[in-house]
Amino acid sequence: QVQLVESGGGLVQPGGSLRLSCAASRSILDSYFIGWYRQAPGKQREFVARIFRGDITNYADSVKGRFTIYRDNAKNTVYLQMNSLKPEDTAIYLCNMGAPPLTYWGQGTQVTVSS
């Protein structure tokens, strides 16, 4: 079993930045991938970004060029640096780890982009 704990969410103005953290209860080197999804009120959960073994990354088109995912293996933590935030980025952001055949989810952290 793996626990994932997200932090770093909050209220930010449009154009601002936040950095989300996802701390895992065991080595993230054991994972095949670890990443982020988000869910806005009344909408389906959507993929945001993911980092694989070997530090290969991919991003949703809506966040490319604005968000960066990276990892600190020594801290068992993955980060999502979010710049140039827009109101449409408002959502609960959830951390997701894939360690086949299992996947794990965190509880989420709220990000609100509003003036």
Side-chain angles (χ1 to χ4, degrees):
Q1 190 72 2
V2 178
Q3 281 75 48
L4 303 173
V5 179
E6 302 96 333
S7 61
L11 173 64
V12 63
Q13 292 187 341
S17 298
L18 283 174
R19 189 182 75 163
L20 305 184
S21 301
C22 171
S25 61
R26 74 177 198 205
S27 174
I28 59 175
L29 292 173
D30 294 337
S31 67
Y32 178 61
F33 65 83
I34 187 165
W36 295 89
Y37 281 71
R38 66 187 181 188
Q39 188 160 18
K43 294 187 177 181
Q44 288 190 330
R45 189 173 294 183
E46 65 173 359
F47 167 74
V48 176
R50 186 180 291 142
I51 186 165
F52 292 88
R53 287 176 183 168
D55 290 338
I56 297 170
T57 59
N58 58 25
Y59 298 90
D61 288 343
S62 59
V63 307
K64 278 182 183 176
R66 300 189 296 123
F67 291 10
T68 302
I69 188 170
Y70 61 100
R71 60 200 293 163
D72 184 333
N73 294 329
K75 295 182 178 180
N76 294 329
T77 300
V78 170
Y79 301 95
L80 185 68
Q81 178 66 46
M82 306 187 297
N83 299 327
S84 303
L85 283 161
K86 305 175 181 180
E88 51 264 42
D89 294 318
T90 295
I92 296 173
Y93 283 70
L94 302 110
C95 185
N96 168 242
M97 174 190 280
L102 301 176
T103 60
Y104 302 94
W105 290 91
Q107 293 298 308
T109 185
Q110 176 71 46
V111 171
T112 302
V113 185
S114 175
S115 55

